[in-house]
Amino acid sequence: YGSTNVGGHRGRAAITRMMTEFFGRYEELAWETGPLIPVGDRSVAFDFTRRCRERGADASIEVRGHERLDFTDEGLIRHVEVEAPRG
């Protein structure tokens, strides 16, 4: 897993820790995603808008980003790459 927001993480335990910390940071969190765009034989990409409000914050913010998912031959996620500012 690689992200301009939360850095790089390898392995199930590291990714689980990162996701727990990321989701725990927010009081409100929602995504709107654009269409999936095929990238080569085993990847897709999409743009997204994330609306979120951190715990204790008065106002929500909107963050736009881009995500790519790479898959194995069996259809499992092999890698995720996210480009988005912290927010």
Side-chain angles (χ1 to χ4, degrees), residues 70-86:
D70 300 332
F71 297 93
T72 66
D73 290 341
E74 294 78 27
L76 302 173
I77 296 173
R78 182 177 52 127
H79 183 72
V80 176
E81 195 68 37
V82 180
E83 296 175 19
R86 181 175 171 89

Side-chain angles (χ1 to χ4, degrees), residues 1-2 10 12 20-21 23 32 34-35 39 44 47 50 52 58 60 62 65 67 73-74 87:
Y1 189 98
R10 287 185 67 99
R12 186 174 293 184
T20 300
E21 290 171 11
F23 284 96
E32 181 180 315
V39 180
V44 295
D47 293 324
R50 182 177 74 229
C52 51
D58 293 328
S60 295
E62 187 174 283
E67 188 161 333
D73 290 341
E74 294 78 27

Side-chain angles (χ1 to χ4, degrees), residues 6-48:
V6 298
H9 302 273
R10 287 185 67 99
R12 186 174 293 184
I15 293 169
T16 298
R17 243 186 336 274
M18 176 274 299
M19 289 287 187
T20 300
E21 290 171 11
F22 178 84
F23 284 96
R25 200 162 76 199
Y26 299 101
E27 190 85 24
E28 298 172 2
L29 183 61
W31 278 267
E32 181 180 315
T33 60
L36 296 178
I37 302 162
V39 180
D41 291 341
R42 292 185 180 84
S43 299
V44 295
F46 58 91
D47 293 324
F48 65 83

